Amino acid sequence: MPWLLRGDKVRASVDVADSPRLRARGLLGRDGIEGALLLTPARSVHTVGMRFAIDVAYCDADLVVLRTVRMAPHRLGRPCWHAHSVIEAEAGAFERWGIAPGVQLEVRQ
């Protein structure tokens, strides 16, 4: 199982959605998520049809966080044109994990 790291500390388990089918499904149909979801490639997300609020981190190709937002259900997110991937987690997770713009993340097996 892949892990999301900040520095040398594991922050969460991470599911990777790297195909069109997996990215389209995303977090739809779930009542929550333990850990995080990495959508790659991706520049924007939405929460239409979702049952819970999420934290969203737009990252460049090196997984440096460019922007973070909290999205309520049934919203369309603004695209981040310089993003290469997006990390999603339940609302409040990024604050606990210390994820903010400028932070370098890593996904490791």
Side-chain angles (χ1 to χ4, degrees), residues 46-103:
H46 68 84
T47 58
V48 175
M50 290 186 56
R51 301 176 184 152
F52 58 98
I54 60 172
D55 286 343
V56 177
Y58 297 90
C59 302
D60 68 12
D62 297 319
L63 284 184
V64 173
V65 177
L66 302 172
R67 182 173 83 207
T68 61
V69 295
R70 181 162 295 163
M71 292 181 65
H74 314 296
R75 301 286 187 253
L76 296 175
R78 283 183 22 226
C80 182
W81 297 113
H82 298 289
H84 178 268
S85 57
V86 173
I87 297 173
E88 298 177 339
E90 280 199 39
F94 288 177
E95 187 175 336
R96 290 190 309 275
W97 301 341
I99 294 177
V103 167

